[in-house]
Amino acid sequence: MTTEKVSFCLNWEVAPYHIPIYIAQTKGYFKDEGVDVSILEPSNPSDVTELIGSGKIDMGLKAMVHTLAAKARGFPVTSVASLLDEPFTGVLYLEGSGITTDFQSLKGKKIGYVGEFGKIQIDELTAHFGMTPDDYTAVRCGMNVAKYIIEGKIDAGIGIECIQQVELEDYLQKAGRPISDAKMLRIDELAELGCCCFCTILYICNDDFLAQNPEKVKKILRALKRATDYVIQNPTEAWSEFIDFKPQLNNSVSQKKFERCYAYLSDSLFNVHRDWRKVTAYGKRLQILPQDYQSNYTNEYLTWPEPNEDQNPQQTQKQMAVHQEECKSCGGYRRLVVKV
């Protein structure tokens, strides 16, 4: 049997930053483009690139570092657009855990990570700070990093500011503690990367599907751009429509996550060339990519003008950190206005 449906797999169970994909579905933007998209949620986030790379699924979402590593391992996938740009990613912990801003305070601690590459990142960082993998206990906990910290199963774990850190802040608030007790050692700063782009969430395609269906991919991306524009311009209405379709997210912590994800949503959807260069170099440094590896991304399926790249990304990251602190304190939907 054959089907005209395009299968699209999320990078994990539905989360607030997936909102453009569902808005494109619920508002009929895919239908307007003449495409039929089936949105799937994986039971294991580590399966996504393998499922797409093997051709069992046509399209989906994955972080940049995983997209690079998948192609290097023989799974033919290519990034065709960006969803969530440079969310702050790092080692999360709670005040009072014995961990400080000194990375060596992690010695003897239990550190959680999502998947294989999280462990590789921590090992590389420990070497960078004169430690070895024997100096900490690694615990694979998938997307349950905040839960494991709260339950005391780990002392710290890798997560992102707009998801797992929000979960820790919600726990602290309910416990009568200041939300500022949720701390993060940012990996981009520890590793001296100059950006958080390795965890940029991308729209990826199976290479055979992409080669055989270029016009269909363009239509899907046009629908997603239209949906993203709607979300950015009408966040309150978009959130109401989203939780009506996904009522399990109709709660305060999910809304806080959306408020914090809102600033990271890519308004252009373009892959950022500078970020791909940096993360490709980082992948070689982590030894998950061969030294002659060529980045697997393209912008040729985006049918609108490409914006100019930020000329001072490190300054923008500093502004974003201040911006997200304001969002944490005041709530609401706000986009960063870059000060140059």
Side-chain angles (χ1 to χ4, degrees), residues 15-20 83-85 87 160-163 166 227-239 254-268 320 323-324 327 331-337:
Y17 63 80
H18 295 139
I19 187 170
L83 167 62
L84 201 69
D85 271 341
I160 62 176
E161 178 265 331
C162 53
I163 299 293
V166 175
T228 302
D229 289 345
Y230 177 79
V231 171
I232 290 174
Q233 294 163 13
N234 307 280
T236 302
E237 295 85 349
W239 181 250
S254 292
Q255 180 163 350
K256 288 176 184 175
K257 288 178 183 178
F258 177 50
E259 290 173 357
R260 297 272 277 279
C261 289
Y262 180 70
Y264 296 123
L265 288 172
S266 173
D267 56 359
S268 73
M320 180 64 86
H323 176 275
Q324 290 300 84
C327 185
Y333 305 111
R334 55 191 78 205
R335 298 280 289 177
L336 177 65
V337 177

Side-chain angles (χ1 to χ4, degrees), residues 40 137 152 185 217 234:
L40 310 172
T137 301
L185 298 173
V217 172
N234 307 280

Side-chain angles (χ1 to χ4, degrees), residues 184-204:
M184 176 186 284
L185 298 173
R186 277 175 41 190
I187 290 176
D188 65 306
E189 294 178 336
L190 294 169
E192 301 175 5
L193 296 177
C195 66
C196 283
C197 42
F198 60 90
C199 268
T200 291
I201 306 299
L202 306 168
Y203 295 103
I204 68 173

Side-chain angles (χ1 to χ4, degrees), residues 160-232:
I160 62 176
E161 178 265 331
C162 53
I163 299 293
Q164 288 87 1
Q165 186 168 335
V166 175
E167 293 170 359
L168 289 179
E169 291 165 1
D170 182 67
Y171 157 76
L172 290 166
Q173 186 174 42
K174 290 174 179 175
R177 294 175 58 182
I179 62 173
S180 58
D181 279 359
K183 307 290 188 182
M184 176 186 284
L185 298 173
R186 277 175 41 190
I187 290 176
D188 65 306
E189 294 178 336
L190 294 169
E192 301 175 5
L193 296 177
C195 66
C196 283
C197 42
F198 60 90
C199 268
T200 291
I201 306 299
L202 306 168
Y203 295 103
I204 68 173
C205 286
N206 171 271
D207 285 357
D208 285 342
F209 172 78
L210 187 58
Q212 295 165 16
N213 300 275
E215 294 306 313
K216 189 174 286 188
V217 172
K218 289 178 183 178
K219 290 176 180 179
I220 290 169
L221 293 176
R222 278 200 297 267
L224 290 168
K225 175 67 165 68
R226 185 179 173 190
T228 302
D229 289 345
Y230 177 79
V231 171
I232 290 174

Side-chain angles (χ1 to χ4, degrees), residues 13-183:
E13 62 188 21
V14 64
Y17 63 80
H18 295 139
I19 187 170
I21 299 145
Y22 284 95
I23 289 295
Q25 188 80 289
T26 60
K27 295 192 79 67
Y29 296 159
F30 289 135
K31 185 178 180 181
D32 290 347
E33 291 286 348
V35 290
D36 191 356
V37 178
S38 178
I39 304 170
L40 310 172
E41 298 178 29
S43 58
N44 184 338
S46 297
D47 293 341
V48 177
T49 45
E50 184 172 342
L51 289 169
I52 297 173
S54 64
K56 293 180 174 66
I57 291 176
D58 303 318
M59 297 184 66
L61 298 174
K62 206 62 183 170
M64 189 180 290
V65 69
H66 297 116
T67 301
L68 284 159
K71 188 69 170 279
R73 291 186 166 189
F75 294 108
V77 296
T78 296
S79 171
V80 292
S82 299
L83 167 62
L84 201 69
D85 271 341
E86 299 192 67
F88 291 137
T89 306
V91 181
L92 292 165
Y93 64 97
L94 295 177
E95 183 73 27
S97 63
I99 300 170
T100 69
T101 54
D102 179 1
F103 187 84
Q104 290 198 342
S105 65
L106 290 167
K107 188 175 288 188
K109 302 296 186 181
K110 292 177 289 185
I111 307 176
Y113 62 97
V114 176
E116 177 186 2
F117 299 117
K119 174 68 164 61
I120 292 171
Q121 284 182 303
I122 302 171
D123 285 351
E124 199 271 342
L125 285 171
T126 56
H128 187 67
F129 285 91
M131 299 159 61
T132 74
D134 293 332
D135 287 322
Y136 77 98
T137 301
V139 179
R140 186 165 183 163
C141 45
M143 305 300 279
N144 296 313
V145 167
K147 179 176 182 289
Y148 277 36
I149 292 174
I150 291 165
E151 293 175 352
K153 294 178 180 177
I154 57 176
D155 301 294
I158 295 179
I160 62 176
E161 178 265 331
C162 53
I163 299 293
Q164 288 87 1
Q165 186 168 335
V166 175
E167 293 170 359
L168 289 179
E169 291 165 1
D170 182 67
Y171 157 76
L172 290 166
Q173 186 174 42
K174 290 174 179 175
R177 294 175 58 182
I179 62 173
S180 58
D181 279 359
K183 307 290 188 182

